[in-house]
């Protein structure tokens, strides 16, 4: 899943079939089969920079730079080196076609990409193989990974939480996947009228950047609510960062404005909390 996700107002026969398969094989409380099916229906377009995911390709550099700089500082790595994150593991949960997984692997991470849509995993695996990049792609859920005792130095949770059915259960599972001293990045949309106007109506109905029905404003999440749930899950919130679209430069940039897009960085403490 990703920031620009292919919304489908009505499910066609193929999508309904994928929905049924998802509900049968990935029966966890956070999984919303219809949301998974939206992405699966557009899986072939993940790597097309002019297709349905074009805005995500435009958005990618700013979040990649933020992740690189934050992780480098946290783990004392040189961000200017060729592979600054050798020896560190990373989970890209809701990886979609692998638009974040591949550049993270190039930076030296041992990357695991997880997505609940098998079709996304097949697209991501095929693209990584053609690119000569080794990534452990799995069709699975955060809950299943947590139940298996998996843990990672960095967990990317980017533009996913606005699509899960049970947010608290999902975040609890994701928090368990972060090793002590490790980081989790969560990127999502704020629940404000500004976000409703720009990310929903503006992007979908006025500018046509996204397919209509992509976002459900009722699932947008206020930073304070997200921060509280991360703390309840046992993480320490380190930073909340706004991301804004610059219409003059026609690109994205980090900003102090969290009214629409924002990212939260949280750490699992080295010592368990009382």
């Amino acid at each position: 899943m990703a920031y620009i996700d292919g919304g489908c107002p009505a499910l066609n026969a193929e999508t309904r079939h994928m929905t049924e398969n998802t509900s049968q094989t990935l029966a966890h409380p956070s999984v919303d089969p219809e949301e998974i099916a939206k992405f699966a229906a557009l899986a072939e377009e993940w790597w097309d920079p002019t297709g349905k995911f074009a805005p995500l390709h435009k958005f990618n550099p700013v979040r990649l730079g933020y992740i690189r700089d934050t992780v480098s500082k946290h783990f004392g790595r040189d961000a200017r080196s060729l592979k600054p994150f050798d020896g560190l593991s990373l989970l890209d949960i809701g990886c979609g076609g692998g638009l974040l997984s591949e550049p993270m692997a190039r930076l030296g991470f041992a990357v695991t990409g997880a997505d609940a849509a098998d079709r996304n995993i097949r697209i991501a695996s095929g693209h990584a193989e053609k690119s000569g990049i080794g990534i452990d792609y799995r069709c699975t859920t955060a809950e299943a990974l947590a139940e298996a005792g998996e843990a990672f130095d960095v967990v990317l949770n980017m533009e996913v939480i606005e699509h899960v059915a049970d947010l608290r259960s999902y975040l609890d599972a994701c928090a368990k996947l972060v090793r002590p001293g490790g980081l989790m990045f969560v990127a999502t949309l704020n629940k404000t009228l500004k976000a409703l106007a720009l990310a929903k109506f503006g992007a979908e109905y006025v500018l046509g950047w996204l397919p209509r029905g992509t976002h459900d404003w009722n699932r947008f999440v206020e930073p304070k609510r997200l921060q509280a749930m991360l703390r309840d899950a046992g993480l320490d919130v380190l930073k909340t960062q706004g991301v804004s679209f610059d219409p003059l430069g026609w690109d994205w940039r980090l900003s102090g404005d969290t009214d629409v897009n924002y990212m939260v960085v949280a750490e699992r403490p080295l010592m368990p909390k009382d």
Side-chain angles (χ1 to χ4, degrees):
M1 300 179 190
Y3 168 77
I4 306 302
D5 30 55
C8 303
L11 299 179
N12 58 28
E14 181 184 10
T15 305
R16 282 197 298 272
H17 176 68
M18 289 185 286
T19 299
E20 292 165 359
N21 286 346
T22 299
S23 62
Q24 292 168 4
T25 59
L26 299 172
H28 288 111
S30 71
V31 174
D32 185 331
E34 291 192 5
E35 289 292 309
I36 302 302
K38 289 180 183 181
F39 295 94
L42 291 175
E44 310 296 330
E45 298 197 42
W46 275 108
W47 288 96
D48 181 0
T50 63
K52 293 289 196 320
F53 295 102
L56 179 56
H57 284 266
K58 192 73 173 177
F59 186 56
N60 228 18
V62 69
R63 61 180 187 168
L64 286 171
Y66 184 71
I67 294 166
R68 180 198 62 219
D69 293 345
T70 302
V71 175
S72 297
K73 183 177 180 180
H74 184 77
F75 287 100
R77 301 298 180 96
D78 182 0
R80 298 167 297 178
S81 64
L82 186 61
K83 290 183 177 286
F85 305 126
D86 269 337
L88 295 179
S89 61
L90 179 144
L91 171 67
D92 184 7
I93 189 74
C95 64
L99 299 189
L100 278 174
S101 295
E102 288 197 15
M104 291 295 107
R106 289 191 183 97
L107 289 172
F109 281 113
V111 175
T112 299
D115 199 286
D118 177 69
R119 197 169 177 183
N120 284 341
I121 292 299
R122 283 187 276 118
I123 293 295
S125 298
H127 193 276
E129 184 176 359
K130 289 178 183 178
S131 302
I133 302 172
I135 296 173
D136 179 12
Y137 280 119
R138 310 181 198 175
C139 182
T140 188
T141 64
E143 288 94 338
L145 290 168
E147 289 166 5
E150 301 266 8
F152 305 86
D153 296 303
V154 177
V155 174
L156 301 185
N157 206 328
M158 311 299 278
E159 292 79 37
V160 178
I161 66 170
E162 64 268 27
H163 302 286
V164 301
D166 186 331
L167 182 54
R168 187 170 294 277
S169 172
Y170 174 75
L171 288 175
D172 284 346
C174 289
K176 293 174 184 175
L177 296 169
V178 184
R179 284 180 178 151
L183 297 177
M184 181 159 69
F185 293 77
V186 185
T188 191
L189 292 157
N190 200 345
K191 193 172 185 180
T192 62
L193 292 178
K194 184 177 177 180
L196 177 63
L198 297 180
K200 175 65 179 176
F201 293 115
E204 295 181 23
Y205 293 89
V206 179
L207 297 173
W209 286 353
L210 309 174
R212 294 185 178 186
T214 292
H215 290 118
D216 179 355
W217 184 72
N218 292 312
R219 292 192 176 187
F220 291 9
V221 185
E222 303 92 335
K224 287 185 178 180
R225 181 178 174 228
L226 174 57
Q227 293 162 0
M229 284 192 282
L230 290 171
R231 293 189 185 101
D232 289 345
L235 303 182
D236 290 335
V237 175
L238 303 182
K239 186 176 182 181
T240 299
Q241 175 69 57
V243 185
S244 301
F245 182 72
D246 179 6
L248 295 178
W250 206 249
D251 60 7
W252 294 89
R253 58 182 174 80
L254 299 178
S255 76
D257 184 357
T258 61
D259 286 348
V260 182
N261 294 84
Y262 69 96
M263 296 182 282
V264 175
V265 184
E267 177 188 21
R268 174 166 290 285
L270 288 171
M271 298 296 293
K273 296 181 179 180
D274 295 333

